[in-house]
Amino acid sequence: VPSTPLVVNAAELLRRPGSDRLVHLEVTPEELGIDDPRLVAGEPVVLDLRLEALTDGILVHGTVRARWAGVCRRCLTDVGGAAVADVEERYQLVLTDPDAFPLVDDQIDLRTVAGQLVLLEMPAAPLCREDCAGLCPICGVDRNTAICECTEAPSDSVWSVLEALRDPDEPAPG
Ligand SMILES: [Zn+2]
Ligand SMILES: [Zn+2]
């Protein structure tokens, strides 16, 4: 068994169904087996879990949280936050539940679930705020903080020409 705080010995719990144990862990992404550019370097991934002994295994529930950072997909300013994933997993001595994980040598291997769950909570295309106005595609100013003189004439004029062509009352161009 590898030496990592994420492999928890559950032998004691398994002897007393109905008992539980709280686990608070702060680990590196490497320890969780995850590698993602959105994870903030040097920030721990934090697990707060309750391990509950059942007659046939252990129920693990709680949260796993990690800090992420990136840039707004519209205006490119730095954004970041905390990703929090709910953990609700069952570990069984003899697998009868198709969604359960095996308890090997009475050990709960938390790496399997926690890493992937927290990655799923990180935004793939973050926004600094829901109504971010973005950058002007012509001059590049940040429209959240500045107003530019650019008009989006190119696309507008294409549409007005098409509208004119579609109008039966309008004389044919040329
Ligand atoms: Zn933005
Ligand atoms: Zn502009």
Side-chain angles (χ1 to χ4, degrees), residues 46-86:
V46 181
L47 297 94
D48 278 293
L49 304 170
R50 178 188 293 272
L51 313 182
E52 213 176 300
L54 309 173
T55 49
D56 64 343
I58 303 285
L59 193 64
V60 176
H61 51 119
T63 58
V64 50
R65 64 184 65 220
R67 306 284 310 175
W68 62 270
V71 292
C72 172
R73 70 170 185 259
R74 289 187 199 147
C75 73
L76 308 179
T77 52
D78 291 336
V79 288
V84 183
D86 289 325

Side-chain angles (χ1 to χ4, degrees), residues 91-126:
Y91 289 74
Q92 292 186 307
L93 292 161
V94 177
L95 286 175
T96 56
D97 177 345
D99 296 325
F101 292 95
L103 273 173
V104 180
D105 297 330
D106 295 348
Q107 311 277 329
I108 301 168
D109 190 343
L110 296 168
R111 292 171 300 184
T112 333
V113 281
Q116 296 309 314
L117 286 174
V118 80
L119 289 184
L120 289 176
E121 295 299 321
M122 293 187 183

Side-chain angles (χ1 to χ4, degrees), residues 136-141 143 148-150:
C136 170
I138 298 161
C139 73
V141 306
R143 286 166 162 175
C148 61
E149 299 290 305
C150 306

